[in-house]
Amino acid sequence: MRLLKNILLFQRKLFFTSYFLSSLIGLIFGRDIKAIGLAFLFIAPLMHYFIYEIKNKHEYYYYYNLGLTNTKLWISTFIIGFIKFILLSVI
Amino acid sequence: MNTLHVDSINKSYDNNKILSDIFLTCKKGEIVGLIGRNGSGKSTLLKIIFGIEKCEHKFIQIGDKVINNIASRRTLINYLPQENFLPNNIKIKSLINLFQPKENRHELVNNDYIKPLLHKKNQELSGGEKRIVEILLIIHSNAEFILLDEPFNGVSPIVRTYIINYIRKIKSSKGFIITDHDYENVINLADKIMFLKDGVLKEVINQKQLVDSGYLTQNNYDMLIEASS
């Protein structure tokens, strides 16, 4: 449970920026809700790369000390992106 | 009693051997001081032991368990990096709850240095305050072995003394490997001193060697001898 909460802490930083950017891109190019989901699928990993790999690389140590590897954190980003894409596709 | 065994570590950068056949042991209840000049590979060695730096060869074992990756050492080894690493935009109290198992939280939130910072966010703390939160978070974890890379960096002398005494107080339950540019504090704190030079790690048997190689002044050496006798 503690690990899951820490993954959500990691994703919190990505979520709002990704949500805002994907909504903007989705509205500009697709003007429908599916386009927002599709944009989120690509924007979230981009934000992950920019926010953590470039801007806050040292924060990874916090997660490493909890046993969360780089691979696990990247997988969490893709899973959340995919869930959002599926949810918006269903709507 | 568990022992951390580090064996056969080899690491090169661009054909330059940084670490050559490193062998190191740390028992639970022991403090190992790692000293060496800038760029001698101390931090690299700690990162390899923690599992976040690749190398040509390594063998790491705790008790009977061979450690291969970060996930397998989760409750066994924790690492304090040189850099501030706590996430921003979250209160210290919430971070303690997220980082520490339930049983360890009470002592930490009631710590005199942590208490006034509980409702502040990481980015609102000074460099020294960040460091003490980080150190206490790491050494309070359930990990059996703690790797501290420059723990006294940016910390005031009072806090430094507090940390040294605190590590001494809890050392019976954990093993520590410490490296810092403040050699005298490391030497003073350590039960065993390892000296890294030209990629080779050697144990310092006689502290007089440290005076000869410029890591300790004669005055401080005399004080250490006096204190230990």
Side-chain angles (χ1 to χ4, degrees):
Chain A
M1 193 61 187
R2 199 157 51 91
L3 278 189
L4 189 66
K5 282 181 182 174
N6 276 294
I7 290 174
L8 292 176
L9 171 70
F10 181 87
Q11 291 296 335
R12 195 177 75 166
K13 206 173 249 182
L14 305 176
F15 191 79
F16 295 105
T17 332
S18 306
Y19 188 82
F20 174 75
L21 278 175
S22 54
S23 300
L24 197 71
I25 291 169
L27 285 172
I28 291 170
F29 292 102
R31 288 175 190 270
D32 74 23
I33 208 135
K34 274 183 198 165
I36 297 174
L38 196 62
F40 193 87
L41 205 57
F42 295 101
I43 295 290
L46 272 177
M47 284 295 106
H48 180 138
Y49 182 77
F50 178 74
I51 292 175
Y52 285 108
E53 298 285 336
I54 295 176
K55 219 168 151 250
N56 300 297
K57 212 169 169 52
H58 298 154
E59 279 188 26
Y60 273 122
Y61 291 118
Y62 172 86
Y63 299 98
Y64 292 156
N65 274 305
L66 291 160
L68 291 166
T69 59
N70 238 332
T71 314
K72 284 181 186 169
L73 294 168
W74 270 104
I75 288 171
S76 72
T77 300
F78 284 113
I79 288 175
I80 287 178
F82 192 68
I83 289 171
K84 187 147 195 282
F85 170 66
I86 296 288
L87 285 176
L88 291 176
S89 299
V90 168
I91 294 169
Chain B
M1 187 180 282
N2 271 352
T3 303
L4 167 68
H5 286 278
V6 176
D7 200 352
S8 322
I9 290 185
N10 283 295
K11 168 83 179 171
S12 307
Y13 280 122
D14 301 330
N15 292 330
N16 287 329
K17 202 100 179 159
I18 302 296
L19 299 170
S20 177
D21 224 0
I22 299 292
F23 175 81
L24 175 70
T25 60
C26 177
K27 290 178 197 150
K28 226 171 166 182
E30 185 178 47
I31 301 173
V32 177
L34 188 61
I35 58 168
R37 300 279 183 219
N38 281 347
S40 58
K42 303 184 297 295
S43 297
T44 306
L45 177 57
L46 293 188
K47 283 180 185 172
I48 290 171
I49 297 171
F50 186 54
I52 53 170
E53 179 87 34
K54 287 182 180 160
C55 61
E56 288 97 67
H57 188 266
K58 69 174 174 183
F59 178 80
I60 297 164
Q61 189 175 24
I62 294 177
D64 297 329
K65 191 176 182 184
V66 178
I67 308 288
N68 296 313
N69 51 47
I70 293 176
S72 67
R73 73 194 67 198
R74 190 159 77 89
T75 55
L76 297 172
I77 306 177
N78 267 1
Y79 168 66
L80 176 86
Q82 284 179 22
E83 306 87 359
N84 294 125
F85 67 94
L86 295 180
N88 289 329
N89 299 317
I90 177 163
K91 286 182 179 164
I92 299 302
K93 192 176 181 182
S94 307
L95 264 184
I96 291 171
N97 290 337
L98 283 169
F99 192 83
Q100 295 291 354
K102 227 174 207 170
E103 64 272 17
N104 298 354
R105 292 174 197 161
H106 180 75
E107 198 177 338
L108 208 49
V109 294
N110 287 303
N111 180 286
D112 290 340
Y113 283 98
I114 301 284
K115 226 175 185 175
L117 311 174
L118 284 175
H119 300 289
K120 287 185 179 177
K121 291 177 180 173
N122 183 45
Q123 68 268 31
E124 294 164 1
L125 306 184
S126 70
E129 287 172 333
K130 278 181 189 170
R131 203 61 181 154
I132 191 151
V133 172
E134 290 171 347
I135 293 170
L136 291 175
L137 264 184
I138 292 291
I139 65 179
H140 253 288
S141 67
N142 275 353
E144 292 180 25
F145 292 92
I146 307 286
L147 314 175
L148 301 175
D149 196 353
E150 299 196 11
F152 309 122
N153 202 2
V155 161
S156 70
I158 292 176
V159 175
R160 191 175 306 164
T161 309
Y162 172 77
I163 292 166
I164 288 172
N165 291 333
Y166 201 84
I167 291 174
R168 280 199 182 117
K169 197 175 101 181
I170 64 158
K171 84 165 197 175
S172 61
S173 60
K174 291 176 195 294
F176 288 89
I177 302 180
I178 300 181
T179 177
D180 203 278
H181 287 296
D182 190 343
Y183 298 129
E184 285 174 11
N185 276 318
V186 174
I187 293 163
N188 191 15
L189 187 60
D191 300 309
K192 182 165 83 181
I193 301 160
M194 304 299 290
F195 179 48
L196 188 59
K197 192 184 177 191
D198 300 328
V200 179
L201 190 68
K202 285 180 186 161
E203 185 173 353
V204 177
I205 307 291
N206 182 358
Q207 291 190 356
K208 189 79 174 81
Q209 286 173 258
L210 298 170
V211 180
D212 300 336
S213 46
Y215 286 91
L216 204 60
T217 60
Q218 183 64 46
N219 205 17
N220 284 318
Y221 171 73
D222 294 339
M223 277 165 63
L224 276 174
I225 295 296
E226 202 180 300
S228 61
S229 59

